[in-house]
Amino acid sequence: MKRMFTRISVLTFLGLLFISNAFAQNITITGVVTDAADRSAIPAVSIQVKGTTSGTQTDASGRYSINAPSNSTLLFTYIGYTTREVPVNNQTSVNIALQSDVQNLEQVVVVGYGTQRKIDVTGSVSTVKGEDITKQASVNPVSSLQGRVAGVNITNNGAPGSSPQITIRGTGTIYGNTGVLYVVDGVWYDDINFLNPADIANISILKDASSQSIYGIRAANGVVLVTTNRGKRGDATVNYNGYVGIQSVTNAVDMTNATEYATAVNELYGLLNQEPLFANTNLGEGTNWRDVILRDAMVTNHQISVNGGGEKSTYNLSLGYLNQDGNVENNNYKRYTARLSSDFQIFEPLKVGYNVTGSSSASKDAPGSIFRGLYAASPVVPVFNADGSYGDPNSFNLGNGSNMNPQATLDFYNQRTARYKVTGNVFAELKFLKDFTFKTSFGGDFGQDEVRSYTPKYFATTAQNATISVLGVNRVETRNWIIENTLSYDKKIEDHNFTVLLGQTAQRFKSYSLNASAQNVPFNSDADLYLSLGDAASRVINDSGSLNTAASYFGRVNYSFANKYLLNASLRADGASQFFGGEDVWGYFPSVGAGWVITNEEFMKDQKIFTNLKLRGSWGKVGNAGVPINPTTQLVSQGAGLIAFFGGLPYTGAGITTLVPPAIFWERSAGTDIGLEMGFMKNRLNVELDYYNKTTEQAIFDIPIFGSLGTSNSRLIGNQADFRNRGFEFSATWSDKTAGDLTYSISANLGINNNKVLNVTTGNNPIYAGGTGLVSGALATRTVAGRPIGEFFGYQVAGIFQSNEEAAASPQAGTTAGDFKYVDQNGDGLIDGRDRIALGNPNPKYNYGVNTNFAYRNFDLTIDVQGVAGVDIYNANLGYRFGNENFTKEFFDNRWTGPGSTNTYPSAKIGGATNYLPNDFYVESGAYVRLRNVQLGYSLPTELVNKWKMRKFRVFANAQNALNFFGYRGFSPEVGGSPTNAGIDANVYPLFATYNVGVNVTF
């Protein structure tokens, strides 16, 4: 019945179309297209008959000729000008003038708690469209922003399902939650990994304190506003986006083969005055553990959505599926997403709506130490012996506890992570008394993360075995909600436009965690692993939780006069439970911004240089409540090693692990921004410049303290330092269309940031951090006044000791020939901690990107280039040699082998005690440039698509990270980490190149 109805509808439509065309004869229409301002002719203007694919273009004199039905409508489009629709009405001559396109000014920009015309924005706000996000092969939408926004640094991790680390205009905070605030349709999140990139309509990045201050409580690290797709009026539209591809590790590190390894190990034993380990070093290639453990991985992503609605309601439904294999064997990540949103116009003044998103993911995890294992594994050890048993390093006298069989590590590693999240909000919007709008919204998220790990009873090698099985379960549940009420007043009186916003917010963040384990749990299948199956006496259960609440009040005034003079002022007050019991429960965050649209002045009317010229400036304060609860409360912890006696009976004792001052104050960040926006040549070229100066005041640190204070492994939490980020941003976009149907845009952006610690309140004593795992207690980073946060700190290598006599005569104790020679910086004749100096900066100074789009008839091409410069990495992997671990090929080829062989690389005894100490040999440039994304697409002609009952059919091929250029000696120069531990590469999951093909279909 349904099929018959569809056929009747189609026949009816075709019949009406035939009747309409029967009464509309084709006529020839000619004319001239000119610029409305100076009446000059405009060549290459596209003229199309509306509703068809037929059209033409103007010639060099702006003239055109086209055949069209006498009752049709002509569409005149050209980049830099507004599109015009002109009814033919039997006219044979149609001359039109196109107005300069001011869409860059009239464009609506999403800002905190609303939208503004771009012309009215006085802060620094960057917007990325959803269509640009979906042109990337990234499974996380944040990764798609890399290289697209000036001043935004994104560090990716190659692990499937991992979230990238994003920094906006440098490090904002040090302690607690150092990530940005994500606001998705009004609900606050720390991560948006649950979102399918295809569900995003646009992303706005609030970069300056003025635009961020309306979110004062959590805005110190920047704010990212995400608007998801919503329904549109009209018939149901079904859209499918999908791709399948391959992920390949790029720039893999080459390790020595068996012969080279045996040669270097024998050298090592000789330097230690021991007999050679290998009687014969001619062992061939041996095992290439990189090829054993790593693989080319499949990835497939599918999303289908249905969108539509009538006069009173709209809807949008989407379903997504992602299946991503990791480049490590057995590693896999799957994600399922579902999203539904609807809007209802109950009656003219009242609108209600909701959106809800469900996400479920499951992963087979990779061992955390697997890449360190690739560096360490000996190539002389086979994967399997002839009898099928695992190759054992002990069989080659290599069993020092750190040299293992990576295949056995993978085979007996069983960890699963499952995540579930349901999130969304409901809202009601009431307009009354013409100029007032009241909006109320309630949203939140319910989530559960569970990590389950199982170690069976097994024997693989001497160092890889377990006599009992152990099952561990870690479960974290979150229950968060947020209520917001806003009242806005929007009024225009002649040349005066102003909007007043008042708001109130209440939030609760609640989490509950459970840690449990049991021994001797039998293994039947992954689905049959239960703690209750283990020995009752071995079961251990610990649980904990946290509850943070906040109350906020805010207001904002936007004012403009004659679209020339702009003023924006806001104030937010936040009370956070984290500071209850302290002296600073409430934080107050003001901001002010001003702008001058110079091109709207009378004296600019006759100038021909600028289409748009706008000067703006802003100042504001933001805060950070992303710290653990009760930071001013002295906490203690219990432990089996602590015993207290009461009445002669022993009880489990408790010890202080964290010291706090009497009060901790809100950490605040004050920032100034000055910007200049320029449009040239009918807005074909748009340029934006920004200078900013952002100071974080009373930054909260946790720093290690001396055990002599009566504590063990303790930290001191408090307001320890002030630091500053100061920089410059540049972005430019050129958009145009040629006479040959080529439409293109070229964008470039550059961000320059300088990070500096202004003072350290603890007597200006340095704050040390950055453990490398090489030497216990040897920290590789330092935070001190006058220098960047977490800069690398250690010894300067002057060369290599060429003989034992030279080493013995030096002020450097415990060294021999082939060891690093350190510089005696203070000239006291002794090499000690006082000779350490600044070695490098892990905070990137330069971030840049070039993004291009080309469209020629049915073809489209996107090319993105992205890079980072002025940043250093501490390559701790080079020093991981506690015994007989492998060497990199690059080290083997350049190592010290005797007097005069080299004065740069140490001997095979690189693992010596003094060689482990943090020094500049391990510090390398982290600068890189990569071909971030290339996508070539082809859309079927409209006639063919219509014949197939579709609206659009596009196929594409995509390559991401295909070309990478850097000098770093590790897998990847993208190395993240917390601010005082950033840039230390001890076990980074490498990035990969993705090659995929896909299709976009719309019905």
Side-chain angles (χ1 to χ4, degrees):
M1 185 69 182
K2 184 177 180 180
R3 183 177 298 177
M4 181 180 296
F5 176 77
T6 302
R7 290 177 178 175
I8 293 173
S9 300
V10 172
L11 291 174
T12 302
F13 172 77
L14 292 176
L16 293 174
L17 183 63
F18 173 78
I19 294 172
S20 174
N21 288 334
F23 290 95
Q25 295 181 346
N26 281 4
I27 59 175
T28 299
I29 307 158
T30 61
V32 180
V33 181
T34 58
D35 185 299
D38 56 19
R39 297 298 175 183
S40 61
I42 306 177
V45 175
S46 175
I47 301 113
Q48 187 177 12
V49 180
K50 186 177 181 180
T52 72
T53 58
S54 60
T56 187
Q57 286 187 341
T58 57
D59 59 20
S61 302
R63 299 183 180 277
Y64 73 94
S65 176
I66 189 172
N67 290 321
S70 58
N71 63 348
S72 62
T73 298
L74 300 183
L75 297 178
F76 295 82
T77 58
Y78 190 72
I79 291 177
Y81 293 85
T82 56
T83 298
R84 283 195 60 182
E85 296 187 11
V86 180
V88 174
N89 292 332
N90 293 312
Q91 301 176 81
T92 58
S93 178
V94 177
N95 299 320
I96 69 164
L98 294 182
Q99 296 284 347
S100 177
D101 187 1
V102 292
Q103 62 177 348
N104 290 323
L105 302 179
E106 298 297 327
Q107 170 190 346
V108 175
V109 177
V110 177
V111 295
Y113 299 99
T115 59
Q116 284 184 283
R117 296 184 308 165
K118 184 171 175 59
I119 191 176
D120 295 328
V121 176
T122 59
S124 181
V125 181
S126 296
T127 300
V128 179
K129 297 179 181 178
E131 61 191 62
D132 294 324
I133 295 173
T134 55
K135 284 187 177 181
Q136 303 272 350
S138 304
V139 299
N140 189 299
V142 177
S143 296
S144 301
L145 302 177
Q146 192 173 39
R148 305 196 71 89
V149 181
V152 176
N153 180 55
I154 294 174
T155 303
N156 288 293
N157 186 302
S162 61
S163 297
Q165 184 176 333
I166 177 172
T167 305
I168 299 175
R169 289 185 170 178
T171 298
T173 62
I174 304 298
Y175 180 67
N177 189 342
T178 60
V180 303
L181 169 65
Y182 296 97
V183 182
V184 183
D185 296 328
V187 183
W188 295 23
Y189 302 96
D190 293 330
D191 186 17
I192 56 172
N193 201 29
F194 63 92
L195 278 181
N196 189 321
D199 284 332
I200 294 177
N202 62 72
I203 292 179
S204 287
I205 301 176
L206 311 185
K207 297 192 291 184
D208 73 312
S210 172
S211 59
Q212 297 166 354
S213 64
I214 201 71
Y215 293 104
I217 190 173
R218 271 290 318 280
N221 295 299
V223 182
V224 177
L225 307 180
V226 180
T227 303
T228 59
N229 295 323
R230 304 198 72 83
K232 299 178 181 179
R233 293 181 179 180
D235 294 336
T237 299
V238 180
N239 184 263
Y240 167 77
N241 292 287
Y243 64 79
V244 61
I246 293 288
Q247 299 171 159
S248 299
V249 172
T250 60
N251 303 88
V253 177
D254 291 327
M255 309 299 293
T256 61
N257 60 31
T259 297
E260 295 163 338
Y261 170 80
T263 301
V265 169
N266 278 356
E267 287 180 13
L268 170 62
Y269 276 59
L271 292 168
L272 297 174
N273 297 317
Q274 299 178 15
E275 291 296 321
L277 182 63
F278 296 97
N280 176 20
T281 60
N282 188 18
L283 301 176
E285 291 294 321
T287 303
N288 186 329
W289 288 104
R290 186 188 69 196
D291 293 343
V292 172
I293 300 303
L294 301 183
R295 62 178 177 178
D296 288 340
M298 290 286 296
V299 59
T300 181
N301 191 27
H302 306 276
Q303 194 253 11
I304 188 169
S305 64
V306 183
N307 188 301
E311 290 187 11
K312 296 295 185 180
S313 65
T314 59
Y315 62 88
N316 182 280
L317 169 67
S318 71
L319 300 173
Y321 169 71
L322 167 71
N323 189 347
Q324 181 185 20
D325 286 333
N327 290 110
V328 174
E329 289 285 349
N330 303 329
N331 192 197
N332 174 265
Y333 174 78
K334 292 181 181 179
R335 183 183 66 197
Y336 305 85
T337 59
R339 186 178 178 280
L340 175 63
S341 65
S342 294
D343 298 312
F344 305 92
Q345 196 73 46
I346 304 300
F347 50 89
E348 187 59 32
L350 178 63
K351 178 182 179 181
V352 299
Y354 70 87
N355 68 77
V356 59
T357 300
S359 174
S360 171
S361 66
S363 67
K364 296 179 181 178
D365 302 332
S369 61
I370 190 62
F371 290 100
R372 186 180 301 175
L374 290 183
Y375 277 98
S378 168
V380 303
V381 178
V383 181
F384 296 102
N385 296 315
D387 61 0
S389 61
Y390 288 94
D392 191 343
N394 274 277
S395 301
F396 299 84
N397 296 317
L398 304 175
N400 58 358
S402 60
N403 201 324
M404 300 187 183
N405 184 318
Q407 185 64 55
T409 300
L410 283 183
D411 290 347
F412 291 98
Y413 184 80
N414 187 338
Q415 179 173 295
R416 305 287 191 269
T417 299
R419 292 186 171 92
Y420 310 93
K421 183 183 283 288
V422 177
T423 180
N425 73 329
V426 295
F427 70 89
E429 186 176 276
L430 177 65
K431 296 183 178 180
F432 61 98
L433 298 180
K434 187 179 178 180
D435 302 315
F436 289 88
T437 302
F438 173 76
K439 183 176 181 179
T440 183
S441 172
F442 175 77
D445 69 273
F446 165 89
Q448 176 177 300
D449 294 357
E450 180 175 297
V451 180
R452 193 222 61 201
S453 60
Y454 179 75
T455 301
K457 180 180 179 180
Y458 77 103
F459 184 91
T461 70
T462 306
Q464 295 166 282
N465 58 80
T467 57
I468 58 174
S469 63
V470 178
L471 174 65
V473 177
N474 174 256
R475 181 179 299 153
V476 178
E477 298 177 356
T478 56
R479 308 287 188 272
N480 305 328
W481 56 254
I482 178 172
I483 298 174
E484 293 189 315
N485 298 292
T486 59
L487 176 65
S488 61
Y489 175 68
D490 196 343
K491 188 68 174 178
K492 179 177 182 181
I493 304 175
E494 295 181 348
D495 287 335
H496 304 273
N497 290 278
F498 55 91
T499 301
V500 179
L501 173 73
L502 298 175
Q504 170 268 333
T505 297
Q507 300 180 70
R508 189 187 77 169
F509 303 94
K510 182 180 181 180
S511 68
Y512 170 78
S513 63
L514 175 71
N515 286 279
S517 64
Q519 296 179 357
N520 290 321
V521 176
F523 181 84
N524 293 316
S525 69
D526 285 333
D528 294 327
L529 291 174
Y530 299 100
L531 295 168
S532 60
L533 298 178
D535 294 340
S538 71
R539 288 198 289 268
V540 178
I541 300 177
N542 294 296
D543 63 349
S544 61
S546 67
L547 176 63
N548 296 335
T549 58
S552 309
Y553 304 91
F554 54 89
R556 181 175 61 206
V557 176
N558 295 323
Y559 171 77
S560 70
F561 174 73
N563 286 331
K564 290 188 291 187
Y565 311 114
L566 315 172
L567 180 65
N568 177 304
S570 69
L571 175 65
R572 181 170 179 127
D574 289 302
S577 64
Q578 291 95 314
F579 297 96
F580 286 176
E583 299 179 4
D584 203 15
V585 175
W586 285 88
Y588 300 93
F589 308 102
S591 76
V592 61
W596 179 24
V597 186
I598 304 173
T599 42
N600 285 346
E601 295 286 359
E602 287 297 324
F603 63 80
M604 295 289 288
K605 295 298 184 184
D606 295 327
Q607 59 85 29
K608 305 296 183 183
I609 300 175
F610 297 101
T611 309
N612 169 47
L613 181 62
K614 173 183 168 184
L615 178 66
R616 51 177 170 77
S618 65
W619 172 90
K621 278 197 171 186
V622 292
N624 174 35
V627 298
I629 190 171
N630 297 327
T632 57
T633 301
Q634 183 68 70
L635 302 178
V636 298
S637 64
Q638 292 183 321
L642 302 172
I643 302 175
F645 289 90
F646 295 95
L649 298 176
Y651 293 88
T652 301
I656 295 174
T657 58
T658 301
L659 296 182
V660 297
I664 291 181
F665 303 97
W666 272 84
E667 180 181 87
R668 294 175 173 85
S669 178
T672 302
D673 183 274
I674 300 174
L676 184 65
E677 300 174 12
M678 298 173 285
F680 305 91
M681 303 176 67
K682 305 296 187 297
N683 278 335
R684 292 185 185 89
L685 175 63
N686 287 279
V687 178
E688 194 164 337
L689 306 173
D690 275 273
Y691 166 80
Y692 63 88
N693 188 7
K694 179 176 68 171
T695 301
T696 299
E697 304 164 346
Q698 298 180 335
I700 300 174
F701 282 70
D702 66 327
I703 59 177
I705 60 176
F706 297 111
S708 59
L709 295 178
T711 64
S712 176
N713 298 321
S714 296
R715 317 286 294 181
L716 174 63
I717 301 175
N719 302 98
Q720 312 282 12
D722 297 341
F723 60 89
R724 181 187 69 203
N725 289 282
R726 177 184 289 173
F728 173 81
E729 294 171 357
F730 164 84
S731 61
T733 300
W734 171 268
S735 301
D736 203 357
K737 182 176 182 179
T738 69
D741 282 340
L742 175 64
T743 302
Y744 65 95
S745 67
I746 301 174
S747 299
N749 66 81
L750 170 67
I752 304 173
N753 183 73
N754 287 284
N755 177 275
K756 182 179 181 180
V757 178
L758 301 179
N759 64 75
V760 178
T761 58
T762 54
N764 278 335
N765 292 321
I767 299 173
Y768 295 101
T772 64
L774 300 180
V775 176
S776 177
L779 302 177
T781 73
R782 179 188 67 167
T783 299
V784 66
R787 305 294 302 178
I789 290 174
E791 71 174 349
F792 299 129
F793 183 70
Y795 296 95
Q796 180 183 2
V797 177
I800 304 298
F801 288 115
Q802 300 297 318
S803 67
N804 289 330
E805 291 75 19
E806 181 188 8
S810 75
Q812 190 171 329
T815 58
T816 59
D819 287 343
F820 288 125
K821 181 194 302 181
Y822 298 137
V823 176
D824 183 6
Q825 300 289 345
N826 59 5
D828 63 354
L830 181 67
I831 299 296
D832 58 18
R834 291 169 292 185
D835 294 308
R836 293 174 296 172
I837 62 171
L839 302 178
N841 187 357
N843 304 285
K845 183 174 183 179
Y846 304 101
N847 285 278
Y848 57 91
V850 178
N851 307 285
T852 65
N853 290 281
F854 303 91
Y856 179 74
R857 296 182 180 175
N858 292 343
F859 290 92
D860 61 88
L861 175 65
T862 298
I863 302 175
D864 298 325
V865 177
Q866 173 261 335
V868 172
V871 62
D872 297 301
I873 299 173
Y874 194 94
N875 191 349
N877 288 311
L878 288 177
Y880 277 117
R881 286 201 51 79
F882 301 102
N884 298 307
E885 291 83 0
N886 200 4
F887 304 84
T888 65
K889 185 68 164 60
E890 183 262 351
F891 178 87
F892 177 83
D893 291 340
N894 295 280
R895 75 196 187 284
W896 183 88
T897 56
S901 57
T902 179
N903 202 35
T904 304
Y905 283 70
S907 68
K909 195 166 66 72
I910 186 176
T914 60
N915 293 333
Y916 277 147
L917 296 175
N919 64 69
D920 60 359
F921 175 78
Y922 300 111
V923 178
E924 306 178 43
S925 171
Y928 69 87
V929 59
R930 68 161 54 102
L931 186 60
R932 173 62 181 163
N933 198 66
V934 178
Q935 185 174 112
L936 176 63
Y938 175 76
S939 299
L940 293 184
T942 304
E943 298 87 348
L944 187 57
V945 170
N946 291 339
K947 181 179 179 180
W948 290 354
K949 311 298 183 185
M950 294 184 295
R951 300 184 184 183
K952 178 182 178 181
F953 188 96
R954 176 178 176 269
V955 294
F956 64 87
N958 192 91
Q960 188 177 72
N961 299 334
L963 297 176
N964 301 270
F965 304 96
F966 57 84
Y968 177 58
R969 292 176 288 181
F971 277 105
S972 169
E974 289 197 57
V975 181
S978 60
T980 55
N981 296 275
I984 298 177
D985 183 1
N987 192 45
V988 172
Y989 199 119
L991 287 180
F992 46 80
T994 302
Y995 306 93
N996 61 302
V997 293
V999 61
N1000 309 135
V1001 184
T1002 303
F1003 299 92

